[in-house]
């Protein structure tokens, strides 16, 4: 799993919804020639796949791409019980030391997407969320060991929801 080492200041984000690549999120700006990207990936790699791009040396978040998903659940609302969850403003910085000789870190896992009104929850761990690192409309759900259990994208417009729903059919 992806372990968060520390938190950094919020960054600008760009989110694209597309029929072929359902969700693509890019954080800040970076120079790929100065620091390569490591891709942490999970899913079953046949019908579900998400990849998170991380700076090879710094551990900085670069991108999140939901490529494939089979298990999609439409919900009336996605309500989070925030009374036992700590909200942290910023972006996570990931532990990469033991993996910086790799380009891809693949971990088989179950990937489930929940769609509510204006919000999407991408879950890849059943661990309880104890904190959310929030950068604009993108949140990283963390368990008690600071492992990322899921991604929350909120504030989606109606046409973005429609594109995403069409992509996930």
């Amino acid at each position: 799993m992806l372990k968060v080492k520390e938190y950094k200041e919020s960054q600008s984000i760009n989110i694209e919804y597309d029929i072929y690549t359902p969700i693509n999120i890019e954080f800040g700006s970076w120079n790929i020639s100065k620091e390569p990207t490591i891709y942490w990936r999970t899913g079953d790699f046949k019908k579900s796949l998400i990849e998170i791009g991380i700076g090879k040396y710094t551990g900085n978040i670069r991108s999140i791409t939901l490529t494939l998903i089979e298990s999609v659940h439409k919900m009336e609302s996605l309500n989070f019980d925030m009374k036992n969850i700590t909200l942290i403003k910023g972006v996570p910085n990931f532990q990469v030391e033991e993996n910086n000789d790799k380009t891809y870190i693949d971990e088989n896992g179950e990937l489930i997407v929940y769609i509510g009104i204006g919000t999407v929850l991408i879950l890849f761990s059943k661990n309880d969320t104890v904190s959310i690192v929030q950068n604009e409309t993108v949140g990283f759900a963390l368990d008690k060991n600071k492992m990322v259990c899921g991604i929350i994208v909120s504030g989606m417009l109606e046409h973005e929801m429609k594109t995403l729903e069409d992509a996930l059919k």
Side-chain angles (χ1 to χ4, degrees), residues 67-158:
T67 308
L68 298 166
I69 187 68
E70 182 180 55
S71 184
V72 179
H73 304 279
K74 225 172 160 187
M75 314 290 276
E76 282 300 312
S77 66
L78 286 174
N79 290 330
F80 300 98
D81 183 3
M82 294 299 288
K83 69 177 175 233
N84 295 321
I85 296 177
T86 305
L87 189 62
I88 302 158
K89 293 283 185 199
V91 291
N93 183 263
F94 299 103
Q95 189 173 310
V96 290
E97 294 78 22
E98 69 272 6
N99 292 306
N100 67 6
D101 60 333
K102 301 176 182 169
T103 302
Y104 297 101
I105 303 163
D106 291 344
E107 292 184 30
N108 276 352
E110 186 179 12
L111 196 56
I112 303 169
V113 171
Y114 296 94
I115 299 178
I117 298 169
T119 304
V120 173
L121 170 61
I122 305 164
L123 226 73
F124 36 86
S125 168
K126 290 188 176 14
N127 295 354
D128 290 337
T129 298
V130 299
S131 60
I132 296 175
V133 182
Q134 188 75 36
N135 184 81
E136 293 185 25
T137 59
V138 177
F140 296 82
L142 307 181
D143 69 13
K144 66 178 188 225
N145 298 316
K146 291 191 174 181
M147 300 291 204
V148 179
C149 343
I151 307 291
I152 305 158
V153 182
S154 57
M156 296 174 67
L157 301 173
E158 204 170 308

Side-chain angles (χ1 to χ4, degrees), residues 1-2 38-42 50-52 54 105 107 124:
M1 294 296 285
L2 267 182
I38 295 173
Y39 295 96
W40 179 84
R41 306 185 302 183
T42 193
I50 188 169
E51 79 176 15
I52 298 178
I54 303 164
I105 303 163
E107 292 184 30
F124 36 86

